Structures are given as C-alpha cells and as structure tokens.
Amino acid sequence: MEFIHHQSAHCENGVASNLLRHQGISISEPMVFGIGSGLFFFFLPLLKVNYAPAISYRPMPGFIFNRAAKRLGIKVKRIKFSNNEKAQKALEENLEKNIPTGLQVGVYNLTYFPDEYRFHFNAHNLVVYGKKDDTFLISDPVMETVTTLTEKELDKVRFAKGALAPKGQMYYPIEIPEVIDWEFAIKKGIKNTCNDMLAPLPIIGVSGMRFLARSIRKWPIKHGVKKANHYLAQMVRMQEEIGTGGGGFRFIYAAFLQEASVILKNEELKKLSLEMTAIGDLWRDFAVNASRVYKNRSNKTDVYNGMADELNKIADLEEAFFKKLKRAI
C-alpha cells in the first residue's frame, strides 16, 4: 500500500500521527502529544526498573494515542494475543485489506536499532504497512527511513518477555468522524496535563519531582556512591534515551502550544510555549550535569545536593508554568 513515513521524536506520537495522516487527518506529532496529554512525571522508589527506582516522564504505553483518539472522536481497535500464529494471521489479514497497523514491541531484538539502543524495554511502537515474501515492511517513526523485519524477527519483538510485555498487541483506527472539534480536543488535553502535573500526590507531577530531589540527596549516603551513580544514570536514560521524556518532551509540548495558539487564537499560549522551551533547556542541562557525575567527570563538590537543587528549581518553574497554562485556557 502507499504509506508515507514521517520521522518523529517519540515512537507513540509518531505512530499515531502517521496512522491518522494515512486516514487523511493532518495532525502533527506535537498535536497528538498535546491532545493526548503525553507530558507527565512519576516517581515510585519501591518499584525497580533495571535495578533502579522507577521514574517515568510519560503516561502508560497506549494512553497518549487512546486519549488523543477519544478527544478527536476517533475509534481505535486494540488487540492482544496469547498465540503467536493468530497474531501473525491477524496482522497479515489487515495488510491484505490495506490497513497499516501499529504494534507495541520490545526494543532489545530490533535488528535495525544500533547496539547501544537495544535494551530491555517493551513499550516501543512502530507501523507495519506491507509484506514482501517473508519480510514485513516497517515504518518506525524514530528512524529516518522505512526498514524491514523478517517474520521471525517481528514475532520475537511482538512477544518479548518481561515488564510491559506487548503480547502481540496491534492497533489501528477503525472509525474517523467527518468533522473534528479541534478546540475541544486541545483544551481537554491541556486541562488533563495541568491537573496531572499539579496533582497533590507525592509521586506525581511537580510533587514527584521534589520527592525525587529529596531522594537524590540521600542516595550516596544510603546506598553508596556506586549505586547512587547507577540510579542517576538510569534516571538520565529514562529522561533522554527512552522516550525523550525530559527536555525532549518539553520541546514537543512547546511546539504543541504554538500550534494550539493559532487554532484557539490565544496569544498567551504562544508566550507560554517559549517558557516551556526554556524549561526544556534546563532539563537538558540537568542531564548533562548528571552524566558528568556518574561518569566521574564532574569537578564540583557536593554534586548530589547540587543535582537535587537543579531539580527543585525545575519543579518550581513547572509548577508556576502549569498554573499559568491552566488560567490561559
């Protein structure tokens, strides 16, 4: 089938945008992300991921597309499988009907990924848009161009084991409205994000950031420098490598606010987009400084308290930002 591949910064946004564009809806990655309330923060030290406290900069896999679709009036079908053969048959039936199909897969065995990006993470998303002989045609939005996977390779990533196991999950739009209420969808997405980031819960939003900052101060004393460095490295990995969640997500959200300001005819959103870009720069600075610490390249003293101070500053700025954003709409 004819399927146009567009590269994106984040896999779930990119798959959603590409699938909807195929259906004739002109929607950018930032617009999917903003309407789907993709900006989030979560810190749960009791839950361990790669032997470090769980830190997430995004909601659960599938939430962004599901929320965006619901707010746009689009119906999406999602199916999971317990049987590998049934999963492949269902996918091939879709392709025979010229339905490009989104899949949730594991990253570790994606053969077209560079080795340094292949780790155990089961919430990656891609589109299968065709098949030639025993090879599936793949549009992975984080790649510059389209690529391929053999039947065996695709089956392996569709049924990867571990946390967030995809279980062969596939999804695709099945109903598109004739008219979309963009204003409703945008406002709903913004309100949801503001409520999440300002939630009065200690593990979510800006409160979760401050909880993490307090924990960072204790890590080297409580766990020793070696383990503290591993925790910090995992934090940066979750922030900048898995899902671009830190600075990357702030830049995408700033782009969303720019688009939204035009649709809603709201100049305040344009100003706030610049503010969010500046906050994104601070997240990137935090990641660079943290990497110097865990690679033992920092010449600063009392580095963990310094990292905590940086994070608290970002939390203060984001709290003020989301209060202004909530008022602006």
Side-chain angles (χ1 to χ4, degrees):
M1 72 184 82
E2 276 195 37
F3 184 82
I4 300 173
H5 172 85
H6 298 271
Q7 190 177 20
S8 67
H10 180 253
C11 65
E12 188 174 342
N13 304 328
V15 165
S17 174
N18 283 340
L19 289 178
L20 295 180
R21 283 178 177 184
H22 186 79
Q23 296 289 339
I25 299 172
S26 179
I27 185 167
S28 67
E29 176 189 7
M31 191 57 67
V32 168
F33 183 70
I35 292 174
S37 303
L39 200 65
F40 190 64
F41 187 85
F42 169 86
F43 173 55
L44 186 59
L46 295 177
L47 178 65
K48 296 293 189 288
V49 177
N50 290 331
Y51 308 101
I55 301 167
S56 179
Y57 299 82
R58 52 153 298 160
M60 287 291 287
F63 274 33
I64 296 173
F65 192 13
N66 284 350
R67 287 169 175 170
K70 185 178 180 181
R71 290 163 187 170
L72 293 167
I74 297 163
K75 286 188 178 178
V76 175
K77 186 171 185 177
R78 285 185 181 269
I79 319 167
K80 289 185 179 181
F81 301 87
S82 57
N83 181 282
N84 299 47
E85 291 179 4
K86 287 182 179 178
Q88 178 161 320
K89 184 182 176 184
L91 176 58
E92 291 187 350
E93 286 174 354
N94 264 17
L95 298 178
E96 286 170 10
K97 296 173 186 173
N98 288 331
I99 302 173
T101 304
L103 301 182
Q104 182 182 326
V105 299
V107 165
Y108 188 74
N109 290 299
L110 282 177
T111 51
Y112 55 79
F113 263 29
D115 287 345
E116 58 268 26
Y117 287 106
R118 291 171 64 181
F119 43 83
H120 293 286
F121 178 67
N122 290 331
H124 187 61
N125 292 267
L126 53 81
V127 176
V128 180
Y129 66 93
K131 189 181 182 188
K132 186 177 181 181
D133 300 324
D134 72 336
T135 302
F136 285 99
L137 308 181
I138 308 294
S139 167
D140 188 322
V142 303
M143 304 298 289
E144 189 174 352
T145 60
V146 293
T147 184
T148 60
L149 289 170
T150 65
E151 288 181 4
K152 188 175 180 181
E153 288 168 342
L154 185 60
D155 181 73
K156 196 168 188 178
V157 295
R158 289 185 76 186
F159 286 90
K161 305 298 182 186
L164 301 173
K167 299 178 182 177
Q169 181 175 173
M170 56 185 253
Y171 55 92
Y172 49 96
I174 57 171
E175 194 174 306
I176 307 291
E178 290 184 12
V179 179
I180 290 176
D181 188 343
W182 291 98
E183 186 172 331
F184 166 81
I186 290 168
K187 287 184 175 180
K188 188 83 174 175
I190 290 175
K191 287 176 183 176
N192 190 163
T193 300
C194 290
N195 290 339
D196 283 345
M197 295 303 292
L198 298 172
L201 298 171
I203 62 171
I204 292 173
V206 295
S207 295
M209 292 179 200
R210 291 181 179 123
F211 181 18
L212 176 56
R214 292 194 299 273
S215 300
I216 287 173
R217 296 186 197 280
K218 299 173 185 175
W219 282 350
I221 300 164
K222 188 175 180 181
H223 303 291
V225 172
K226 185 177 180 180
K227 187 178 275 191
N229 281 354
H230 171 68
Y231 285 4
L232 202 57
Q234 176 63 8
M235 179 184 175
V236 172
R237 188 185 217 187
M238 295 300 293
Q239 178 182 320
E240 298 298 334
E241 294 178 16
I242 303 176
T244 70
F249 271 4
R250 270 71 190 168
F251 301 142
I252 295 171
Y253 201 74
F256 159 67
L257 291 176
Q258 279 191 324
E259 287 190 51
S261 71
V262 176
I263 295 170
L264 300 182
K265 299 179 176 61
N266 186 331
E267 281 297 311
E268 186 62 24
L269 297 185
K270 198 170 185 178
K271 294 176 187 174
L272 287 169
S273 76
L274 297 174
E275 197 171 316
M276 179 50 78
T277 300
I279 292 172
D281 289 337
L282 292 177
W283 274 107
R284 283 281 152 90
D285 291 343
F286 177 88
V288 170
N289 292 335
S291 68
R292 289 191 181 117
V293 173
Y294 64 73
K295 290 178 180 178
N296 297 314
R297 294 175 184 169
S298 176
N299 57 7
K300 296 180 180 178
T301 58
D302 201 19
V303 287
Y304 277 87
N305 279 324
M307 298 306 306
D309 290 341
E310 278 191 66
L311 191 55
N312 274 327
K313 179 185 176 182
I314 293 171
D316 290 343
L317 290 171
E318 292 212 353
E319 182 178 22
F321 171 86
F322 285 109
K323 284 179 178 177
K324 284 186 277 188
L325 180 58
K326 199 169 185 178
R327 288 196 298 269
I329 57 158

